Amino acid sequence: MIAVHQLTKHFPEGPNAVDHVSFDIPAGSSVAVLGPSGCGKTTMLRLIAGLEKPDDGIVLVDGRRASDPSWVLPPHLRDIGMVFQTPALWPHLTVEQNILFGVHGLRRREARRRTGELLEMIELEGMGNRYPSQLSGGQSRRVALARALAPRPRHLLLDEPLTSLDRGLKWRMLSVIGSELKREAACLLYVTHDAEEAERVSMRVLQMESGRIPEQGPVS
Amino acid sequence: MNAADRDIPMRSRHLGWSSALHCAGLVLFLVIVYGPVGALVVESCRAVTRSNFDWLLLALPSGRRAVLLIRSVGLASGVALSSTAIGLLVACTLWQWRAGARAYVRWGLLLLAPLPPYIHALAWTSTWTAFTTLLHFQSLSSMTGWLGAWWILTMTWLPVSTGFALVGLESVDVALIEAGRVARADSHVFLKVAVPLALPYIIVGGVFGFVLTLTDYSVPSLCSVNVTALDVFAEYSASNEPARAFLRALPILTITALAAVLCQAPLQRAAQSPPWRRREPSPSLAMPRWLTQLRRAALALMVMQIAVPLLSLLVATGSWKSLTLSIAAARSDIADSAWQAIVTVALCVPIGLAVAQELDGHGHRARLWLFLATAPLAIPAPLAGIGVITMWNRPAWIDLYGSSLAPAMATSARFAPFAALIMLAQWRRLDHLLIDAARVHQTSALRTWLQVRLPMLAPGLAAAACVVFALSIGELGATLLVTPAGASTLTMRIYNYLHYGASGTVAGLCLVMTAVAIGAVGLALAILGGWNIIGLSTDRGGRS
Ligand SMILES: Nc1ncnc2c1ncn2[C@@H]1O[C@H](COP(=O)(O)OP(=O)(O)OP(=O)(O)O)[C@@H](O)[C@H]1O
Ligand SMILES: [Mg+2]
């Protein structure tokens, strides 16, 4: 479960990038955030992940206080899987090593199986030994998605994860995300530009506008 | 795997460990770099209050010394201007060399950057003498005096200013230039877009040339001109009083510190500019004829800057046999130098890393550290040496002071900032989302360090190690003062020979030094370049 209350962040020049935002995502449910470029979506995800410190407000993860203006729980202790707006794959690690980075306590064979399974889900079987520079834009994005899913996190933060994919592949990847969610009873925060994609992800779509989320609730 | 199951205390202990190491690095930096100067300040205050109030007059240059100071500043300004102008012209040629073999050659032109100035002095004076004798211009027979010093120092710092200008031009987004080319002529775009955007780097390069010239005494002494830095050295040799030398040095210290302060703003801009993400080659710009001619001339000077030292040293050394003989005779000095350089690297790289991480921020703290890391570059070399003596030459430390660690302390005081700045430069080129991604998906702090941070930092660490090694092998100003009696390093041997003019031997040793410089910079470039080629930099990795 993720909840934010009056979450606010401003950067030295300019107005609040995130402006007193409140909402919650119960375990096992998902929320899509839709909004124009520069409205603060990425900043909000980074605040929830613990990569930025809020100027005001709090972030609760699983009911525990994870961020407030004076203290931030380190990101890796929040049980989060995250896809960044650019794939951000470590260029010196292979696809397989990238995917397994966040997984711990698995034996070699199990780890192999897990990567095989994930590569199959993202339709990149046999590419485990490639390096990120040998992938296309859309392939890198899918690897970033697999990296986020690999440790079976209970919270998923996805920042426009499927932007450069064709429609068919996009819907297939969405159903992969959906089935992982169900299995782990995880909660999902999904950022996108695309209204149709947002509706497919969740009944609940939050409209973000210059750092604020004025209206809440399911799209009619 | 939910958050509650995770082993939180263990992890916070890991975090504690790494931040403790980080703080230790910062403290060590302050002690090694600022300790000597601090000791000098304390010692001077003590000496002055011990009734030697008239010593304060040493700090006020008057009469002959005022003229000396003006001349020194004039020399430094002249060298800074000429090397920046030539460097910019060279860089503007190299900037467009991005395809094929030339892409590799261009950075190769910077190979002699860490070669100590007195080796350039030897090479240029002997070449000049040979040249004038050949043409029967005996009246011009030696390259001494202010003009000679200016020329030699310009050639010495040319790779530094070229390097800064090139890095500056490289960091300009190609899209900005292309947007300008649609509207205006290429030369206009170059002058109004590329150069202004690269300006912070160009200015920093010029200030480097200014400060390095003002604080060097080896070339002026070999060219028989007196400068303030030499005066400081002479004062200490004559009186053996650190306080007197420090007070004598105050005027140039003020000027270099002022230069360091003035270049904080451009440095800040250079350090904070976004990491370069270049995929396209620089556009090849059509320049007016006169500019093309000037660029060719500058490039020719750059080639001479490398060819003259190499060829003249090779000719002066004579044969393979005399080279091996002079190396054999200097064997123990070479070993001492290498040891000193290795200790310096071992000290500078970890503390430089700690400082580089502080520099990579935005707030006041990063600004403060940027100042702390660049201000020591303004300390004249002899003062760094005298400071180390003042700091360590105490009964409690006498073992340390008498050991070969003292010279390494002096070279570390001078070169730790270089290590920090090189690592910062490499670090800034990385995509920081890669670190964020590791923070989110981290399973253990150690693993994140070994698998993500270290490989990403490695090229910077290696390049810093190579450059610091080359710089400390060639360091003279501080080493000369600090090296314990009876010991001697390669630089000291060369410098002593230079004054006696023992040419064959000294040329052989200079050749060794040149080989070390070329090897170290070549290795650093190969590491950074190889890292680009296998796709570790943002240039190619993580396409979106
Ligand atoms: N590091 C930063 N420093 C200063 N301002 C920033 C920084 N990061 C973001 N901003 C500003 O905060 C605002 C929100 O940025 P954010 O990246 O969150 O937008 P976004 O909604 O994700 O946009 P997009 O859809 O284009 O990705 C923008 O106005 C941006 O200029
Ligand atoms: Mg965004």
Side-chain angles (χ1 to χ4, degrees):
Chain A
M1 175 263 207
I2 291 175
V4 303
H5 183 69
Q6 297 291 319
L7 196 61
T8 302
K9 175 81 189 172
H10 61 80
F11 293 106
E13 53 279 328
N16 286 348
V18 173
D19 195 0
H20 296 93
V21 166
S22 308
F23 61 85
D24 60 353
I25 314 171
S29 70
S30 48
V31 163
V33 176
L34 197 60
S37 178
C39 70
K41 305 180 297 288
T42 299
T43 310
M44 185 173 74
L45 284 196
R46 291 175 61 85
L47 284 164
I48 295 174
L51 293 167
E52 308 268 358
K53 188 187 241 184
D55 293 312
D56 195 7
I58 56 171
V59 175
L60 297 174
V61 175
D62 281 334
R64 295 192 310 174
R65 184 178 279 234
S67 298
D68 62 34
S70 60
W71 183 77
V72 174
L73 179 73
H76 64 279
L77 302 179
R78 298 178 177 222
D79 205 2
I80 282 172
M82 184 164 180
V83 172
F84 293 81
Q85 195 166 354
T86 59
L89 298 178
W90 299 297
H92 59 293
L93 301 181
T94 61
V95 165
E96 178 168 354
Q97 288 167 330
N98 263 287
I99 290 177
L100 286 180
F101 181 85
V103 180
H104 68 157
L106 281 195
R107 256 184 246 108
R108 234 185 126 68
R109 268 215 0 248
E110 296 168 56
R112 267 269 143 78
R113 223 192 37 230
R114 181 77 180 133
T115 8
E117 191 183 300
L118 282 162
L119 284 174
E120 197 187 315
M121 287 192 321
I122 60 170
E123 305 177 16
L124 291 179
E125 299 96 326
M127 295 215 181
N129 292 325
R130 292 213 189 176
Y131 283 92
S133 57
Q134 300 165 319
L135 299 176
S136 76
Q139 289 168 340
S140 312
R141 286 196 168 274
R142 281 178 279 160
V143 173
L145 178 63
R147 178 175 71 182
L149 295 175
R152 302 189 199 280
R154 305 214 21 254
H155 314 98
L156 270 176
L157 306 176
L158 309 183
D159 194 353
E160 305 184 26
L162 307 176
T163 317
S164 50
L165 306 186
D166 61 81
R167 278 170 70 86
L169 192 55
K170 203 185 235 182
W171 304 150
R172 291 202 296 281
M173 289 302 117
L174 275 183
S175 70
V176 165
I177 296 172
S179 63
E180 281 290 303
L181 274 183
K182 226 174 257 148
R183 187 158 68 198
E184 303 299 323
C187 62
L188 166 68
L189 185 56
Y190 192 102
V191 166
T192 174
H193 279 301
D194 180 350
E196 191 186 352
E197 196 181 331
E199 280 174 44
R200 286 228 186 188
V201 169
S202 168
M203 293 292 286
R204 242 178 107 198
V205 179
L206 304 181
Q207 283 284 348
M208 194 163 185
E209 194 90 39
S210 3
R212 310 192 68 110
I213 300 188
E215 60 176 291
Q216 282 200 28
V219 265
S220 47
Chain B
M1 244 180 279
N2 64 45
D5 301 342
R6 290 195 181 178
D7 183 3
I8 295 169
M10 182 62 197
R11 263 182 208 94
S12 26
R13 202 154 73 222
H14 266 302
L15 275 180
W17 264 100
S18 67
S19 50
L21 279 176
H22 176 72
C23 289
L26 296 180
V27 171
L28 209 57
F29 178 85
L30 293 178
V31 170
I32 290 181
V33 175
Y34 283 91
V37 188
L40 270 181
V41 172
V42 171
E43 173 67 23
S44 306
C45 292
R46 210 184 283 156
V48 167
T49 49
R50 241 189 288 141
S51 82
N52 295 322
F53 279 103
D54 50 326
W55 280 18
L56 278 179
L57 291 178
L58 291 172
L60 296 176
S62 58
R64 188 182 71 79
R65 291 218 154 82
V67 175
L68 193 63
L69 184 64
I70 291 169
R71 283 185 175 166
S72 308
V73 172
L75 175 67
S77 314
V79 168
L81 283 178
S82 53
S83 68
T84 307
I86 303 171
L88 178 59
L89 287 168
V90 176
C92 132
T93 305
L94 300 185
W95 178 46
Q96 310 209 338
W97 286 8
R98 284 186 67 92
R102 293 203 295 186
Y104 294 89
V105 172
R106 60 194 197 129
W107 293 106
L109 288 177
L110 309 180
L111 279 179
L112 289 192
L115 194 66
Y118 51 90
I119 294 187
H120 286 279
L122 172 74
W124 280 98
T125 45
S126 63
T127 307
W128 183 252
T129 311
F131 189 66
T132 48
T133 326
L134 205 70
L135 297 180
H136 304 289
F137 283 153
Q138 257 81 2
S139 55
L140 296 172
S141 75
S142 66
M143 193 184 232
T144 51
W146 293 99
L147 211 56
W150 167 75
W151 179 255
I152 292 165
L153 286 165
T154 299
M155 287 294 112
T156 307
W157 307 130
L158 188 54
V160 176
S161 56
T162 306
F164 272 104
L166 184 54
V167 169
L169 288 172
E170 286 280 310
S171 68
V172 177
D173 190 348
V174 175
L176 297 178
I177 291 174
E178 276 165 358
R181 294 183 79 194
V182 178
R184 296 296 296 266
D186 282 359
S187 51
H188 187 85
V189 175
F190 179 71
L191 290 177
K192 296 286 162 150
V193 179
V195 172
L197 287 172
L199 201 60
Y201 293 87
I202 298 170
I203 292 175
V204 171
V207 172
F208 256 71
F210 177 80
V211 169
L212 291 172
T213 304
L214 199 56
T215 54
D216 173 69
Y217 62 80
S218 60
V219 171
S221 116
L222 293 170
C223 287
S224 323
V225 295
N226 197 4
V227 293
T228 311
L230 192 57
D231 196 37
V232 172
F233 182 72
E235 175 69 57
Y236 184 69
S237 306
S239 71
N240 209 21
E241 284 280 1
R244 286 183 68 93
F246 180 72
L247 291 168
R248 265 277 184 262
L250 264 186
I252 43 170
L253 201 56
T254 314
I255 293 170
T256 52
L258 212 63
V261 169
L262 284 181
C263 88
Q264 288 301 305
L267 254 175
Q268 194 81 31
R269 272 181 57 196
Q272 309 276 294
S273 60
W276 325 334
R277 270 171 229 193
R278 298 167 48 97
R279 296 196 183 90
E280 321 79 2
S282 343
S284 78
L285 301 179
M287 298 284 182
R289 251 183 97 76
W290 59 270
L291 194 58
T292 311
Q293 307 285 11
L294 271 180
R295 279 168 43 188
R296 291 218 179 105
L299 196 64
L301 282 179
M302 186 75 191
V303 171
M304 271 164 70
Q305 189 271 341
I306 294 178
V308 165
L310 275 185
L311 293 181
S312 74
L313 290 177
L314 279 173
V315 169
T317 308
S319 65
W320 183 249
K321 187 147 177 256
S322 77
L323 178 65
T324 49
L325 274 181
S326 54
I327 292 178
R331 220 173 29 218
S332 77
D333 299 353
I334 293 176
D336 275 0
S337 283
W339 174 241
Q340 177 187 352
I342 288 168
V343 175
T344 308
V345 168
L347 280 171
C348 285
V349 169
I351 64 179
L353 177 61
V355 173
Q357 287 178 348
E358 286 294 327
L359 295 179
D360 180 49
H362 281 275
H364 293 299
R365 189 159 142 185
R367 235 171 273 156
L368 174 70
W369 274 102
L370 189 65
F371 179 75
L372 287 176
T374 46
L377 303 178
I379 298 171
L383 221 52
I386 300 169
V388 167
I389 295 173
T390 317
M391 185 174 171
W392 300 108
N393 188 9
R394 302 169 186 281
W397 299 107
I398 200 69
D399 285 341
L400 186 92
Y401 175 66
S403 76
S404 55
L405 207 59
M409 287 302 221
T411 39
S412 300
R414 292 201 65 201
F415 302 134
F418 284 91
L421 292 176
I422 291 169
M423 281 185 251
L424 175 70
Q426 186 250 337
W427 185 243
R428 295 282 320 168
R429 292 198 59 188
L430 296 173
D431 184 351
H432 281 216
L433 271 188
L434 298 174
I435 304 289
D436 285 345
R439 286 175 62 199
V440 171
H441 297 118
Q442 165 166 315
T443 54
S444 87
L446 188 66
R447 187 155 161 226
T448 302
W449 244 102
L450 293 180
Q451 274 203 324
V452 176
R453 280 184 173 257
L454 195 61
M456 289 175 67
L457 283 170
L461 292 174
C466 293
V467 171
V468 168
F469 185 86
L471 285 173
S472 54
I473 285 267
E475 211 281 342
L476 175 74
T479 309
L480 201 56
L481 289 159
V482 175
T483 303
S488 157
T489 64
L490 186 55
T491 36
M492 288 167 64
R493 184 178 267 255
I494 292 176
Y495 190 66
N496 292 335
Y497 276 148
L498 276 181
H499 282 104
Y500 301 123
S503 66
T505 325
V506 78
L509 294 180
C510 287
L511 211 53
V512 172
M513 195 80 96
T514 313
V516 170
I518 291 180
V521 175
L523 193 62
L525 290 174
I527 290 166
L528 290 172
W531 169 72
N532 269 339
I533 289 159
I534 58 173
L536 277 170
S537 83
T538 39
D539 291 12
R540 296 157 135 253
R543 283 192 281 162
S544 54

